[in-house]
Amino acid sequence: MTPAKDPAKGQETRTKLLDGALRTLTEQGIAKTSARSIAAAAGVNQALVFYHFGSVDELLSEACRHGTEQRVTRYRERLSGISSLSELLAFGREMHEEEREAGHVAVLGQLLAGAQTQPRLAAATAAGLALWIEEIEKVLTRVLSASPLGEFADPVGLSRAVAASFVGMELYEGVDPAGTERALASLEQLSTLVSAIEDLGPLAQRAVRHRLRRTRP
């Protein structure tokens, strides 16, 4: 089969293959993801995998970025409206449910599994997670700048901690749903504590900051 030379047709085929790769990861797992299974899911000739991407690994890497960009774009506007840590946690819970129902948590799990032995997938998965981390960092920087605790927090490090926590809980839920629920509840308690500190009067807030400064290493 000779690949189509029409740019629009070629882009359509690429998109079909990217979506087919994500669907194959969800339904069959990375162990059974191959050029044949991806092409079947995409409804195209197997040779087009190599024509457009060169290898299955490269296709999976592109699919990771493609899928993450779609998800981040979907939630970016909502993230930009978050004004507190409790709102961020509530959003995280809601997003987790949506992503799990749509099968994206399963895709992430398969990519992380493959990344343990395939460096190219590791780099692509990290790049995909970086898109989420960037958005979370923006929220934390905005929220913490108005908090009495802001000077003691590192939004860059916290954004990675938040992303890692949610990735871990998404995967952990498959083996211990009750444990995941308890972990989320503990985060809610922490956000309540932070909110209580933020609601203190100016004198009390100054006392808290003074105390925290004294405990700095």
Side-chain angles (χ1 to χ4, degrees):
M1 176 180 177
T2 301
K5 297 182 182 298
D6 179 11
K9 182 68 174 177
Q11 185 57 49
E12 179 184 350
T13 301
R14 283 179 61 88
T15 300
K16 285 182 178 179
L17 286 167
L18 292 169
D19 292 337
L22 293 173
R23 189 159 60 252
T24 303
L25 283 170
T26 301
E27 296 173 356
Q28 301 186 40
I30 195 164
K32 295 184 179 179
T33 296
S34 63
R36 183 187 298 276
S37 61
I38 293 172
V44 302
N45 187 285
Q46 179 178 335
L48 293 174
V49 170
F50 304 98
Y51 174 77
H52 285 286
F53 297 96
S55 69
V56 173
D57 280 356
E58 186 59 36
L59 169 53
L60 290 177
S61 296
E62 289 291 331
C64 176
R65 286 186 282 269
H66 170 73
T68 304
E69 286 170 359
Q70 286 184 320
R71 307 316 296 170
V72 170
T73 299
R74 173 183 173 84
Y75 296 114
R76 183 172 285 123
E77 184 175 350
R78 292 165 65 184
L79 281 165
S80 67
I82 291 175
S83 59
S84 70
L85 292 175
S86 58
E87 286 182 21
L88 178 60
L89 178 60
F91 165 79
R93 273 181 172 269
E94 181 181 346
M95 183 186 71
H96 170 66
E97 293 298 324
E98 292 180 8
E99 294 294 282
R100 183 183 59 186
E101 290 299 321
H104 298 293
V105 172
V107 170
L108 176 60
Q110 293 301 319
L111 288 170
L112 287 170
Q116 304 306 308
T117 57
Q118 300 178 53
R120 182 173 291 175
L121 279 184
T125 304
L129 289 174
L131 295 176
W132 283 114
I133 290 170
E134 179 182 353
E135 296 301 321
I136 296 170
E137 184 179 331
K138 290 177 184 177
V139 175
L140 289 174
T141 299
R142 182 175 65 251
V143 169
L144 291 172
S145 66
S147 168
L149 301 177
E151 69 177 276
F152 308 100
D154 172 20
V156 176
L158 279 175
S159 63
R160 285 152 178 77
V162 169
S165 295
F166 272 98
V167 167
M169 283 188 284
E170 286 176 344
L171 300 177
Y172 182 50
E173 186 176 38
V175 296
D176 186 1
T180 301
E181 182 61 31
R182 187 165 183 175
L184 289 169
S186 70
L187 289 177
E188 286 184 341
Q189 293 172 348
L190 181 59
S191 71
T192 299
L193 176 60
V194 172
S195 296
I197 294 174
E198 292 175 344
D199 290 340
L200 294 174
L203 289 177
Q205 287 188 7
R206 280 200 293 271
V208 170
R209 285 195 293 268
H210 176 69
R211 177 63 178 171
L212 289 173
R213 286 171 185 149
R214 291 179 59 188
T215 61
R216 276 180 170 172

